[in-house]
Amino acid sequence: RWPDARGRRVLWTLVNRGDAVANGTQLVVAAPSGGARWFDCYRGTELTARVALGTDGAAATASLSFPLGGGGYGCALQTGREAPDGALSAFLAQMAAMTKAPLDSYSAQWRVMQQRLRPVPPSPPAASPPPGAVALPAAHSFLFSTRGLEIEGDDAHGVDAQFPWEEAPRREHSHTLAVPPLFIDRHPVTTANYSAYRRATGYAPKDALNWLSNWRPGWPFTTPPGPAPLPPKSPPPRMADWPVTYVS
């Protein structure tokens, strides 16, 4: 039972822990002296209460009936006698659309949500190594091996990532790949290199939280409140030749 601060509305939430549908009266509540309206806010419909009179002839209790699916949820809302306002009407309409199919009509079988890699067009081939890069020959039997660091769940529950050769997400990944010849930088990308890239492209992620954190004044001891501001365009001078980190 969840009354609002002003006592004008009361919300009841219910759970059916059984497997069978529960029909009939689900709640018997005190009937307000000034009258009330009741709604099944799980299904988005108005309820017709069965009102019982007290010895003084006034409304004493209201019985609310609605089905409660096996293993499902229920929600009843009591309001004043006035018509629902715009916010409540919109909420009821949304719930009616969302619960059009009964919850127990869906399969209870556990299924892991599948992941698909988004294709990325390859870079245009280069005839010679770009500045600072070296050529690597093709590898016809390259062992790709990586492991996630999640602490929750297990492989049966779809933790981590799913590569195209896997049937579901998992923590540990091992697969033999054919890798064509390629050029790779001789040294890791430095903070100075990344700063030049930022200046040339204007790149910034949509969410800058922790992006280039070690470029920010006071790192790692201060975290400004609110949305993360963008870091300075250049790293601290002492870090110019460091490999760039905090980019993902």
Side-chain angles (χ1 to χ4, degrees), residues 213-228:
S213 289
N214 54 352
W215 294 26
R216 304 174 189 271
W219 180 87
F221 305 107
T222 61
T223 301

Side-chain angles (χ1 to χ4, degrees), residues 157-180:
H157 291 82
V159 175
D160 202 72
Q162 178 183 356
F163 289 96
W165 57 84
E166 296 169 337
E167 69 279 1
R170 60 184 61 182
R171 275 194 183 87
E172 298 184 358
H173 316 273
S174 182
H175 192 68
T176 301
L177 298 172
V179 180

Side-chain angles (χ1 to χ4, degrees), residues 22-139:
N23 290 300
T25 301
Q26 306 295 349
L27 286 171
V28 178
V29 302
S33 58
R37 299 174 76 161
W38 289 272
F39 300 88
D40 179 343
C41 52
Y42 179 75
R43 292 178 177 79
T45 58
E46 185 166 4
L47 298 171
T48 300
R50 188 173 68 254
V51 177
L53 303 180
T55 56
D56 59 356
T61 62
S63 298
L64 305 178
S65 299
F66 48 89
L68 201 56
Y73 306 94
C75 175
L77 175 68
Q78 173 185 297
T79 70
R81 298 177 61 182
E82 68 278 2
D85 58 22
L88 178 56
S89 296
F91 170 72
L92 294 172
Q94 180 182 18
M95 292 305 299
M98 291 176 61
T99 59
K100 188 174 183 180
L103 193 62
D104 55 10
S105 69
Y106 295 97
S107 172
Q109 180 181 357
W110 173 260
R111 289 185 175 88
V112 175
M113 183 174 290
Q114 297 290 297
Q115 300 178 13
R116 295 289 183 269
L117 285 178
R118 179 178 296 178
V120 177
S123 301
S128 59
V134 295
L136 291 183

